[in-house]
């Protein structure tokens, strides 16, 4: 069975945080180290094939996503952890780094449902398309107990603290903590909040976003990032197994088939790997506190998929009310500098892009090109820049 093992690596205690140059160097060392590993042999002669490794280095260490074929989950976790330690030991510059964890991160709700319903009438469908519809369809919240809803809500609130790059203000919460947007209060035309909340609101005013709504929105983004990355791994594997593009893929795809269809013939395995690494790099910056601005058009598309996943996750558990949706909307407005990438969804010619680039700014070959010299794009995904200084695009 194929597993995706998440490995967390930390720099030595007391060492200074890694700057941009050191992060690039560490990324190269880790990628080279794993490139030399063809397979893994464990106890009792059991063998494991290593398919792929994605590396995301942050100021305090690195997160690895290692895709392997192993006889069991436990073996995958133990073997990948041991190999990671060996890779560090072989590199003089990384020898003092430590492996903090090596685990397959299961989505507990889905796992519990599968275990409880195994071979029973409630078993999830075996067909991937049907299973996706089963999990993403709007749920019958009447079947979920109030306690289960409260448990999910508490879990999302706990996860919110991991979104270290954004405070409540990024979700529209006023600095006073009472809300954001137009001042709410009694007036000539007011109406109560849905659900009987006594706070009045002007009839045409946007919802007042509370810190509680912001917490739910932030937690859903953290949880959604884990789901998105796991499913993008599945998409990479699907394209690799068929050695094809999204346009011709006969297997199930979670997300890559949602990208602009005009370029579906260009979405091959290499593109999928670059897009996955971009997603890991972006969500790492979201959670380690280092995010400043989106680096390239591919990151804008990753964020679009992440926001959609957050909405689905909240809706699945009956937690997507008007205020939480508004908080996610305010977050999107805070992070996106413009919505030029939306032109790509049009079936016509590329629209006029912003940032002074016109339609060429949206050309497929520039998706992984930094918007400017101050932006960050992961080295694995980065478009090559020829000596002319012009991005090597599919159009030129």
């Amino acid at each position: 069975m194929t597993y995706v093992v998440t490995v967390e690596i930390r720099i030595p205690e007391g060492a200074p945080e890694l700057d941009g140059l050191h992060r690039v160097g560490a990324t190269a060392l880790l990628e080279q180290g794993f490139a030399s590993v063809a397979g893994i042999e464990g106890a009792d002669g059991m063998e494991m094939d290593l398919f792929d490794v994605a590396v995301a280095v942050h100021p305090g260490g690195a997160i690895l996503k290692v895709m392997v074929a192993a006889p069991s989950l436990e073996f995958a976790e133990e073997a990948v952890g041991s190999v990671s330690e060996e890779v560090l030991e072989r590199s003089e510059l990384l020898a003092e780094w430590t492996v903090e964890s090596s685990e397959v991160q299961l989505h507990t709700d889905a796992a519990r449902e599968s275990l409880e319903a195994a071979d029973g009438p409630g078993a999830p469908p075996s067909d991937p398309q049907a299973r996706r519809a089963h999990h993403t369809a709007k749920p019958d919240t009447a079947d979920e107990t109030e306690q289960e809803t409260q448990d999910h809500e508490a879990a999302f609130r706990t996860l919110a603290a991991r979104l270290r790059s954004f405070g409540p203000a990024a979700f529209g919460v006023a600095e006073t903590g009472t809300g954001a947007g137009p001042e709410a209060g009694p007036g000539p035309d007011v109406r109560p909040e849905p659900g009987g909340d006594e706070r009045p609101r002007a009839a045409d005013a946007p919802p007042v976003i509370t810190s509680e709504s912001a917490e739910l929105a932030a937690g859903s983004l953290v949880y959604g990032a884990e789901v998105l990355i796991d499913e993008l791994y599945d998409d990479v594997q699907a394209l690799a197994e068929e050695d094809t593009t999204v346009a011709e893929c006969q297997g199930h795809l979670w997300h890559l088939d949602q990208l602009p269809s005009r370029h579906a013939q260009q979405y091959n395995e290499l593109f999928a790997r670059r897009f996955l690494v971009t997603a890991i790099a972006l969500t790492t910056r979201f959670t380690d506190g280092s995010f400043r601005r989106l680096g390239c058009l591919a990151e804008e598309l990753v964020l679009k998929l992440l926001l959609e996943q957050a909405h689905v996750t909240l809706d699945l558990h009956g937690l997507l009310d008007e205020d939480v949706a508004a908080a996610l909307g305010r977050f999107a407005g805070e992070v996106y500098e413009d919505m030029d990438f939306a032109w790509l969804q049009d079936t016509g010619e590329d629209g006029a892009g912003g940032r002074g680039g016109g339609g060429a700014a949206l050309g497929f070959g520039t998706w992984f090109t930094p918007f400017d010299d101050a932006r960050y794009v992961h080295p694995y995904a980065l478009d090559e820049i020829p000596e002319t200084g012009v991005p090597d695009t599919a159009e030129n």
Side-chain angles (χ1 to χ4, degrees):
M1 181 176 292
T2 301
Y3 298 96
V4 177
V5 183
T6 300
V7 182
E8 293 194 12
I9 298 175
R10 293 294 178 185
I11 60 177
E13 186 174 353
E17 290 190 341
L18 305 175
D19 58 23
L21 182 60
H22 286 117
R23 292 200 293 271
V24 172
T27 299
L29 290 173
L30 289 168
E31 289 176 345
Q32 291 170 7
F34 275 93
S36 65
V37 179
I40 303 172
E41 182 173 338
D44 301 325
M46 288 191 298
E47 295 185 355
M48 181 173 72
D49 294 325
L50 192 154
F51 293 137
D52 191 24
V53 179
V55 179
V57 178
H58 55 84
I63 296 177
L64 312 179
K65 293 285 185 175
V66 186
M67 183 184 296
V68 294
S72 69
L73 182 149
E74 293 78 7
F75 178 73
E77 292 179 333
E78 181 179 354
V80 169
S82 297
V83 169
S84 300
E85 292 175 349
E86 185 176 344
V87 168
L88 295 178
E89 292 173 359
R90 288 179 180 177
S91 173
E92 181 180 350
L93 297 176
L94 304 178
E96 296 185 4
W97 289 32
T98 58
V99 174
E100 290 215 334
S101 64
S102 174
E103 60 182 358
V104 176
Q105 296 181 341
L106 298 174
H107 303 307
T108 55
D109 294 336
R112 186 184 303 112
E113 178 185 7
S114 296
L115 289 172
E116 292 176 351
D119 298 325
S126 58
D127 178 70
Q129 291 281 8
R131 188 166 60 249
R132 183 185 188 193
H134 170 74
H135 286 299
T136 60
K138 185 173 179 60
D140 180 3
T141 54
D143 292 338
E144 184 170 278
T145 67
E146 182 178 353
Q147 183 60 48
E148 288 174 331
T149 300
Q150 291 175 354
D151 289 346
H152 290 127
E153 182 175 353
F156 288 137
R157 294 194 189 284
T158 300
L159 288 174
R162 298 186 185 179
L163 202 71
R164 296 186 179 93
S165 287
F166 304 98
F171 294 88
V173 179
E175 293 183 1
T176 59
T178 59
E183 182 178 356
D189 185 10
V190 299
R191 60 182 172 86
E193 293 279 2
D197 195 321
E198 295 181 356
R199 293 173 299 160
R201 179 192 301 168
D204 297 327
V208 175
I209 300 172
T210 64
S211 58
E212 289 78 11
S213 295
E215 265 192 352
L216 278 178
S220 71
L221 288 168
V222 175
Y223 183 87
E226 295 184 12
V227 177
L228 176 64
I229 289 171
D230 276 350
E231 292 176 347
L232 284 174
Y233 265 109
D234 290 344
D235 285 0
V236 171
Q237 187 176 8
L239 295 181
E241 289 176 349
E242 295 187 27
D243 189 21
T244 188
T245 66
V246 167
E248 300 174 354
C249 183
Q250 298 299 309
H252 170 67
L253 295 172
W254 290 101
H255 296 286
L256 293 183
D257 57 350
Q258 299 178 40
L259 296 179
S261 59
R262 69 176 66 190
H263 297 300
Q265 288 284 359
Q266 304 276 6
Y267 305 150
N268 56 17
E269 180 189 354
L270 176 58
F271 168 85
R273 291 175 185 270
R274 296 170 73 193
F275 194 79
L276 168 61
V277 169
T278 299
I280 294 173
L282 178 62
T283 52
T284 296
R285 300 195 331 266
F286 277 7
T287 54
D288 71 6
S290 66
F291 177 80
R292 296 296 177 268
R293 293 179 293 177
L294 295 174
C296 61
L297 193 145
E299 287 197 344
E300 293 183 329
L301 293 171
V302 167
L303 179 56
K304 177 179 180 293
L305 294 178
L306 177 58
L307 287 165
E308 290 173 352
Q309 184 65 59
H311 278 85
V312 168
T313 298
L314 289 166
D315 195 26
L316 186 64
H317 300 299
L319 297 172
L320 186 64
D321 61 20
E322 179 184 359
D323 292 349
V324 177
L328 285 171
R330 291 294 294 269
F331 174 81
E334 179 79 13
V335 179
Y336 281 126
E337 295 173 42
D338 57 53
M339 299 297 288
D340 291 343
F341 69 91
W343 283 98
L344 293 169
Q345 300 292 349
D346 189 1
T347 56
E349 296 299 318
D350 286 338
R355 305 182 185 90
L362 301 181
F364 177 77
T366 66
W367 283 20
F368 300 96
T369 301
F371 289 139
D372 55 51
D373 292 340
R375 310 295 179 113
Y376 175 81
V377 175
H378 194 282
Y380 182 90
L382 189 65
D383 284 321
E384 294 184 3
I385 306 296
E387 293 182 359
T388 60
V390 179
D392 184 14
T393 70
E395 288 77 18
N396 58 26

